[in-house]
Amino acid sequence: MKKLLEINHSRKSFGDLEVLKDISLSVEESQVLSIIGPSGSGKSTLLRCATLLETLDGGELIYDGVHAARDEGGRAVYAPPAELRKVRNMFGLVFQNFNLFPHYSVLKNVMEAPILVQKRDRKEVEEEARDLLAQMGLADRADAYPFQLSGGQQQRVSIARALAMNPKVLFFDEPTSALDPELTGDILRVIRALAEKKMTMVIVTHEMAFARDVSDYVVFMNEGVIVEQGDPREVIDHPTQERTIQFLRRLTEG
């Protein structure tokens, strides 16, 4: 199976705080990888580095064989802008707080990037955007504005917006953390449907049952390192590391 994403020996610090300490992982085509762990473990920073919102201090970042960053003498050296543009077109990102443009309609939110960034034909993009909104159960909300939608609907728009770029890899940063329990189930169903369509995804989540059922692989992070990784049923149901056991026990008790 083809590797779509490789992160090798990645390191990231903010001042004196080392947030990522020699993290390596890879994601194959059609694979769903979930990253779990306590708050402050480095999960979101790893995602932000993988999606070029933050720069690594050291390590490699490779998308489908294209180097976004190479490690040269322990330092991460990034590719030229033209190469990075190519890489940016390979992934989509769904934020926990939706990040929709408030002054754009739902349809325009979904259409904007494919037209401006990918220079695609407006008519074709609109057709695809309406189709994506229909898949998200939002066909009748195309002309609405974000403030007129519930949190769950806004999150479904942001998923449609990410999919409109035809990404090879779709990232989710705690996609349900801003939603109430009822709406959480709604978004998890959408992600589950994408997994069934063999969409390659990396999901940072606190939803353990969901991670176990939908993922092909799970990584447990703590204090900037990968403590345990492997088959979701093994890691979540039968963890071997004391830190993983404590984390999962606390979640169950909570």
Side-chain angles (χ1 to χ4, degrees), residues 179-242:
L179 303 174
D180 67 36
E182 195 178 340
L183 297 175
T184 291
D186 204 17
I187 296 306
L188 297 182
R189 274 191 293 280
V190 169
I191 299 173
R192 200 181 290 269
L194 291 172
E196 283 164 10
K197 289 179 183 169
K198 301 296 179 197
M199 181 79 212
T200 309
M201 293 185 279
V202 178
I203 307 167
V204 168
T205 184
H206 283 300
E207 303 287 338
M208 291 306 121
F210 173 74
R212 183 185 53 222
D213 294 346
V214 170
S215 315
D216 300 297
Y217 200 79
V218 165
V219 163
F220 172 70
M221 284 181 69
N222 187 57
E223 295 182 351
V225 299
I226 292 175
V227 175
E228 194 162 352
Q229 59 185 313
D231 179 279
R233 280 175 173 72
E234 288 304 314
V235 174
I236 293 170
D237 292 340
H238 310 289
T240 59
Q241 300 301 310
E242 187 52 40

Side-chain angles (χ1 to χ4, degrees), residues 111-124:
M111 288 175 62
E112 190 75 351
I115 290 170
L116 285 187
V117 179
Q118 296 179 330
K119 313 288 186 219
R120 287 170 55 204
D121 175 70
R122 176 177 288 275
K123 193 164 174 291
E124 178 195 306

Side-chain angles (χ1 to χ4, degrees), residues 91-102 104-114 129 132-133 135-138 141 145-146 149-167 169-179 187 190-191 194 199 201:
F91 61 78
L93 173 59
V94 177
F95 298 89
Q96 50 184 306
N97 294 318
F98 327 132
N99 282 29
L100 297 173
F101 295 116
Y104 285 177
S105 70
V106 162
L107 185 63
K108 191 172 180 185
N109 262 288
V110 177
M111 288 175 62
E112 190 75 351
L132 283 167
L133 288 173
Q135 285 175 43
M136 298 292 149
L138 295 168
R141 307 300 275 153
Y145 284 81
L149 305 179
S150 70
Q153 288 173 324
Q154 288 188 59
Q155 192 60 298
R156 279 182 278 153
V157 174
S158 64
I159 294 171
R161 179 180 63 178
L163 288 170
M165 297 290 282
N166 291 317
V169 185
L170 190 52
F171 290 90
F172 290 89
D173 187 8
E174 299 194 15
T176 58
S177 67
L179 303 174
I187 296 306
V190 169
I191 299 173
L194 291 172
M199 181 79 212
M201 293 185 279

